[in-house]
Every structure is written in structure tokens, then in C-alpha cells.
Amino acid sequence: MGERAATTASPSLAEATAPVPPTVLGLLGLQHVLVMYAGAVAVPLIVGRALGLSPEDIAILVSADLFACGIATLIQSWGLPGIGIRMPVMMGVTFASVTPMIAMGTNPALGLATIYGSVIAAGLFGLLVAPMIGRLLPLFPPVVTGTIILVIGISLMKVGVNWAAGGVGNPNYGAPLYLGISAFVLVTILAITRYATGFVNSASVLIGIVVGMLVAAAFGLVDLAKVGAAPWFDVIRPFHFGWPRFDPVSAITLCIVMIVVMIESTGMFLALAEITADPVDEKRLTKGLRADGLGTLVGGIFNTFPYTSFSQNIGLVGVTGVRSRMVTVVGGCIMLGLGLIPKLAALVEAVPPCVLGGAGLVMFGMVGATGTRILGAVDFSGNRNNLFIVAVSVGFGMIPLVAPAFFKQMPHALHPLLESGILLTAISAVLLNLFFNGFGSSVEAREAAVRQAKTAEAH
């Protein structure tokens, strides 16, 4: 989910039909990278720290994520035969996969190898089902997708809150200094959002993290020893953490996530088609969804996670008015190059949790707020059944958050599914919507998907 953008570029940059000069192309590509950077590195930091990985391994996750972001973006924007929507799209790791992956990784019987096996399975699944996603759109009207996105944001808030207090396991957890720095980062982001415009506004979270890092360094909370020891260049090696392990329930869990991700991507592509005046038919839509699947497959091979289009970058296309896909092709090349600089990944890993806490409250809260905005368009007064869909589905989604031992007596193989509030919400919302509202029309579902995507990019 992206931050709000509030201005337009000058006519010289906004002219969609004129060739974009190489220098401007490079700057616009970098702009796309900076807007998505904080969200892109958040998932490897969340998963790596939740699994108790060493700082060196977390830095590898960050590098792998940036590298795979670049590959996935090039696949989507530049395109391969039969794969890629060939529009200005930046790809990044989806937040929807976080809680099920943490459940897998913290299960001694599964671990990190099972996460990657499941990501690979989800990628292959995405490649196979891409042509059928359009038919599944009626299963995901706004009452369903809004509820799912709301619970994604709420589930992630736990991470942001713990970061703000210094991180789980920190002996000084909740120290006033940590809380103060988190609050400072939060206030900085809000001030930039309120008073800045254009690109600076869109990059408010990243700027807040940088400023917070400087403040934390002044208080002696930043250890750059590992940054100094990290090399300037290194390649990303496939299966760095070992060969993937395939567990049926875990794989099915991430395949469900993949469906949710591809439904969201469908709306993004349709909204982007309106922004760029570049029509997307079913064949082209399938190519774009295949790129989601292939990007996720690449993620599993290169030690990272499922990929989807980033809404803040789609919003940035509307802000700049530059509709050339070459802008995001350049952005993808930049991301790929950043993934080959271990020193940069070590610097990201060195950001104290309290700094990330202030930013996390914004990032994750905005995800939940987007879900709320989508639900705002749902007819609750004329169709009271929608109230029950949201109420019960959110209730299921809160089970792992408020009662972690609720499913303790269930078979361990089911824990990746049962311990993910996001998946419980998705299953509940889809089934309840079918029960109360039936299977809607494809035309209405397509229109609703576009409205939902515009809601996501507009905030």
C-alpha cells in the first residue's frame, strides 16, 4: 500500500507521448525506487527478526529481496514471451504473506526451508491459474477484499508496536528513549505528509526512517560495525539457506495467499490501464498475472518471498504523468543493482527497531486504513448481511493475534493456515459472501476491482 501523493509534475515531465530523455528517465526510475524502498525492505526485516536470524542472514534476506524485486519488475515491465503486462509497474514483496510465513518459520518441524518450498509452489500455482483469475473476481467483491486488507493491516500493527518499544527480546523493551525516537519518526512522517508535496510527500516514510536513523545514531543506538565489514559487491546465490522443503499444507496456505495477491494485482492493472490510457484485455491481464507467479517463483529460488505490484508506484505514474514502462524498467535495474551491494543491506539491517517502529505504525496502519476505505463503499444499510460478513471475518482474523494458543491442540501441519489471521479472514469472508450474497456478475466485479485499486493508490 502506498502513501498519498498530492501534486503533478511539470508539463515537460508529464508529456506521455514524448520520448523521455535518458537523464530524466534515470531520475524517474530512482524516484520509483525511493517511493517503494521502505515497503520493499520491511518484509525481510519482519520475517528475519521474527525467526531469530543473525544480522548477517537478515542482511542477505534484504539483498535477496531487492535483487528479486528488480528481476520481478523487469519481468512485469519489460516482459517475456507470454509473461508480463508491459506497463509501468514496480514489484515488491506482499505483506499478505508475512504471518503465514512466520508461522512456518517458527515451527521447528518446518523452518525457513519450508517457507521457500511453499513460495516456489505458490509461484508455480500462480503461473498455472493466471488465466482463471478473471473468473474468480466475483468471489472477491469489496466487502471481501476490504475486510482482508483491514486485517492485514491490523495483524502487522503488532510488529510495528513491538518495534517501537525496542523489539521483542530487548532487555530494555519499552524504554522511554525507544518510545521517544519512535514518536519522533512518526511525527516527522506526518509533518512531511502534511506540508510536503509530490515526490517528497510520496517518500515520507523513507525520509522519516533516514532522519530517525540519524537521531538514533546520536544516542549511540546504531552499530555500524557490520556495515563496515560487509563487502561492496556480492552475487545473490540461489538456495543460500539450503534446499527448499515442500509441505502440502504450507504450500496450500501460500497458494491461497497467491490468489488474494493476484486478485489485488488485477485491480491494480485495470486501474493503471485507465491512468495510462492503455487498454488491458483478458489476454494481457493473464500475462501480467503470470508475471506475479514467475516473480514469486524467482523469489523462492533466490531466498525471498511472494511478489505483487506496489500500489504507491501506480499512484506515482498518475503524479508524474509519465506513462512509459521504461521508467519502471530503469527502476527494476536499479533495484537489481542495489541487491548486489551487501553493504547497503547491512545498513538497512542496522536500523534500530525503535526507528522502524514509528515508520511501521504508518505503513501498517495505512494498509488497514485502505481496507477501511474500501469497506466505506460497501452497502451496509441496504444489505445488512454485509455487516455479518465483516464482523465474523474480522473476528476470525483476530484469533491468532489475541489468543495465540487458540489452535494449540490442532495438528501441527495445519498451523501455518490456522495461525494466519489473514488467511482465516480470507476464507471466512469468501464463504460468508457466497452464503449471503451469492456469486456476483463478472462485469460488476471488474468495475469494483478498479475502484478498489484506485482507493489503494489514492491514499
Side-chain angles (χ1 to χ4, degrees):
M1 305 302 166
E3 293 80 53
R4 178 175 53 84
T7 191
T8 57
S10 62
S12 62
L13 291 181
E15 181 58 44
T17 57
V20 183
T23 302
V24 176
L25 195 67
L27 290 174
L28 289 171
L30 179 61
Q31 190 176 69
H32 273 280
V33 170
L34 294 177
V35 166
M36 71 172 291
Y37 192 83
V41 300
V43 173
L45 290 175
I46 294 170
V47 175
R49 289 176 176 173
L51 270 54
L53 300 182
S54 68
E56 292 80 7
D57 283 343
I58 294 175
I60 289 172
L61 286 184
V62 172
S63 287
D65 175 43
L66 296 174
F67 181 80
C69 274
I71 294 177
T73 298
L74 292 174
I75 292 171
Q76 190 68 274
S77 296
W78 183 262
L80 296 173
I83 302 176
I85 199 152
R86 302 192 179 196
M87 296 176 77
V89 176
M90 293 292 290
M91 302 285 284
V93 176
T94 174
F95 285 127
S97 62
V98 169
T99 54
M101 291 192 302
I102 290 176
M104 295 174 203
T106 54
N107 185 334
L110 299 175
L112 196 57
T114 301
I115 292 178
Y116 292 130
S118 301
V119 172
I120 290 172
L124 293 171
F125 174 78
L127 284 168
L128 291 174
V129 304
M132 297 179 283
I133 290 298
R135 302 173 196 170
L136 297 178
L137 276 178
L139 290 175
F140 293 85
V143 68
V144 173
T145 51
T147 304
I148 294 171
I149 294 171
L150 171 62
V151 171
I152 291 173
I154 294 173
S155 298
L156 291 171
M157 285 300 288
K158 179 180 179 181
V159 175
V161 169
N162 281 321
W163 275 350
V168 176
N170 189 326
N172 295 318
Y173 183 92
L177 178 59
Y178 297 149
L179 302 182
I181 292 176
S182 294
F184 174 78
V185 172
L186 176 60
V187 170
T188 300
I189 293 171
L190 295 178
I192 294 171
T193 303
R194 171 64 178 85
Y195 296 108
T197 58
F199 163 68
V200 174
N201 182 293
S202 299
S204 60
V205 173
L206 179 60
I207 295 171
I209 292 174
V210 172
V211 173
M213 180 85 161
L214 295 174
V215 173
F219 283 97
L221 298 179
V222 179
D223 182 4
L224 298 180
K226 292 183 175 62
V227 178
W232 278 104
F233 176 83
D234 197 7
V235 297
I236 304 299
R237 297 169 180 80
F239 309 120
H240 171 85
F241 294 99
W243 289 102
R245 184 183 305 126
F246 296 93
D247 173 72
V249 175
S250 300
I252 291 171
T253 298
L254 284 196
C255 286
I256 295 173
V257 170
M258 199 69 202
I259 292 175
V260 174
V261 165
M262 294 172 83
I263 292 292
E264 187 177 8
S265 290
T266 298
M268 296 295 176
F269 297 149
L270 296 175
L272 185 59
E274 290 191 6
I275 294 172
T276 60
D278 187 8
V280 172
D281 57 17
E282 293 299 325
K283 183 177 180 181
R284 193 175 181 190
L285 184 60
T286 296
K287 290 180 180 180
L289 296 175
R290 283 189 185 130
D292 277 12
L294 183 56
T296 298
L297 176 61
V298 168
I301 293 172
F302 285 100
N303 320 296
T304 182
F305 312 117
Y307 283 87
T308 187
S309 57
F310 262 34
S311 62
Q312 57 262 53
N313 294 92
I314 292 176
L316 189 60
V317 172
V319 170
T320 64
V322 178
R323 299 178 287 187
S324 170
R325 64 190 172 103
M326 297 309 296
V327 171
T328 53
V329 168
V330 170
C333 292
I334 293 173
M335 293 293 282
L336 196 152
L338 293 177
L340 300 176
I341 306 175
K343 197 173 288 291
L344 178 61
L347 180 62
V348 172
E349 194 283 326
V351 177
C354 60
V355 173
L356 294 172
L361 292 175
V362 175
M363 285 192 296
F364 309 147
M366 289 300 286
V367 174
T370 298
T372 302
R373 289 186 60 172
I374 293 170
L375 290 174
V378 174
D379 179 14
F380 290 109
S381 58
N383 183 356
R384 291 187 67 251
N385 292 332
N386 287 330
L387 288 170
F388 290 97
I389 295 171
V390 176
V392 175
S393 299
V394 170
F396 272 106
M398 292 299 96
I399 290 174
L401 192 64
V402 301
F406 190 86
F407 294 113
K408 185 177 181 181
Q409 302 302 321
M410 299 296 287
H412 281 287
L414 296 177
H415 281 199
L417 175 61
L418 298 177
E419 292 179 7
S420 171
I422 297 166
L423 293 180
L424 292 177
T425 297
I427 295 169
S428 172
V430 168
L431 294 179
L432 287 174
N433 181 66
L434 283 174
F435 176 70
F436 284 118
N437 298 328
F439 196 82
S441 74
S442 297
V443 174
E444 291 178 354
R446 191 180 178 100
E447 293 174 349
V450 174
R451 290 194 300 271
Q452 174 184 317
K454 289 180 177 179
T455 296
E457 74 184 46
H459 69 267

